Amino acid sequence: MTMRTLRTILVTLLFPVTLLGFFWPFLVSSREVAQRAEWFFLLSTTITALLIVILIATDDMGSKNVAFLGILSALIAALRPLGIGAIGIEPMWFALILAARVMGPTFGFLLGALSMMLSALLTGGIGPWLGYQVFAAALIGWGVAVIPTQVRGKKELFLLALYGAIAAEVFGILMDLQFWPWSLGSGTELSYLAGAPLSENLSRFISYHFISALAWDVPRATITVILIAIAGKPALNALRRARHKAAFLSAAQFKELSDVRLNHR
């Protein structure tokens, strides 16, 4: 088996395994089995680490990409504690989204995961929620690929701001999936019911999320949109100049999941 074949297999596994970690409680019939969702994030972490090694070994991620990934991860990890996390003011999403826009979706996936992990190590925020945080941030970094690469100017900033608002809500939803199944017990109208029909648990979860999480989601979305609107253009220009001057030779893309046109040159 060649390295590229192994990479294709790992990429094919990574996203389904990660999503299973978030949505596992909806698919099982007992709380005991539902609590094993963390095992999917452990597997996703192993796959991600192997992919980084393979990307470096096959020159799909050169040394300059690795260095830039480290610098941006440290920057985003430092930005996160500056926000008032208790009410969702988190400036890190602004930096993550713009960096992923310039460097591409695979870089964004790795940047989201590594920066969240580094932030947890710096702030002591290590716990059962960490896997959810790491891979929620990774998916947000990867999801920037939905914005067409040829878009520039005011339209680009508008789409990035719109994506930032949506991503803020998605992050809140994904994080509530870590908390909701266990937080309410089993005696309320919003409680998780192991083995119940998917539609019933989804209805309960959506109601719970919008009742409890808007105080976090709205400030997170607002600060992300404001920062992109005010500082998005100079930040994008600076990132693109840095990429051009460093003469990155590869875009570090998961080519099996994204068309080569996603390369941000």
Side-chain angles (χ1 to χ4, degrees):
M1 181 184 297
T2 66
M3 295 286 279
R4 293 185 183 277
T5 301
L6 179 58
R7 185 187 66 182
T8 301
I9 294 171
L10 293 176
V11 168
T12 303
L13 290 173
L14 178 58
F15 291 94
V17 169
T18 300
L19 291 175
L20 271 175
F22 288 105
F23 295 102
W24 182 247
F26 292 101
L27 306 176
V28 298
S29 58
S30 72
R31 284 180 174 268
E32 291 75 15
V33 177
Q35 290 174 345
R36 298 174 185 169
E38 289 83 359
W39 289 99
F40 290 102
F41 294 119
L42 180 60
L43 180 56
S44 293
T45 301
T46 303
I47 294 173
T48 301
L50 288 172
L51 278 172
I52 292 174
V53 172
I54 292 172
L55 286 169
I56 294 172
T58 58
D59 283 335
D60 286 328
M61 176 176 280
S63 59
K64 293 178 181 179
N65 275 310
V66 174
F68 206 37
L69 179 62
I71 292 169
L72 290 175
S73 295
L75 172 64
I76 293 173
L79 281 175
R80 190 176 178 222
L82 298 179
I84 308 171
I87 57 172
I89 299 177
E90 300 168 357
M92 65 167 286
W93 302 110
F94 154 78
L96 172 60
I97 289 169
L98 295 189
R101 171 64 177 170
V102 172
M103 297 301 295
T106 298
F107 190 97
F109 183 94
L110 298 176
L111 179 61
L114 293 175
S115 59
M116 189 65 77
M117 177 67 75
L118 180 58
S119 174
L121 293 173
L122 291 174
T123 60
I126 297 174
W129 55 84
L130 182 57
Y132 290 81
Q133 291 178 332
V134 165
F135 287 100
L139 290 174
I140 287 172
W142 180 75
V144 179
V146 300
I147 300 175
T149 60
Q150 67 271 22
V151 174
R152 290 291 186 269
K154 292 182 180 179
K155 185 176 181 180
E156 180 182 31
L157 289 177
F158 172 78
L159 290 176
L160 285 169
L162 177 61
Y163 178 81
I166 295 171
E169 176 61 31
V170 168
F171 182 77
I173 290 172
L174 294 178
M175 289 309 302
D176 268 356
L177 287 170
Q178 181 268 329
F179 185 71
W180 164 72
W182 334 115
S183 63
L184 300 180
S186 57
T188 75
E189 294 182 357
L190 302 180
S191 297
Y192 165 68
L193 296 178
L198 176 62
S199 59
E200 181 175 352
N201 270 327
L202 278 175
S203 176
R204 288 168 175 258
F205 170 72
I206 291 170
S207 298
Y208 167 82
H209 173 74
F210 284 104
I211 289 172
S212 65
L214 289 182
W216 283 262
D217 294 349
V218 172
R220 185 186 301 116
T222 300
I223 194 68
T224 302
V225 169
I226 290 173
L227 287 174
I228 291 175
I230 294 175
K233 183 176 180 179
L236 285 170
N237 289 339
L239 286 166
R240 284 176 174 137
R241 282 197 302 271
R243 179 183 174 122
H244 176 72
K245 290 181 179 179
F248 292 105
L249 298 179
S250 63
Q253 300 290 343
F254 288 156
K255 296 180 178 64
E256 292 81 4
L257 290 184
S258 55
D259 188 272
V260 292
R261 290 173 296 175
L262 287 175
N263 294 349
H264 293 246
R265 301 191 185 281

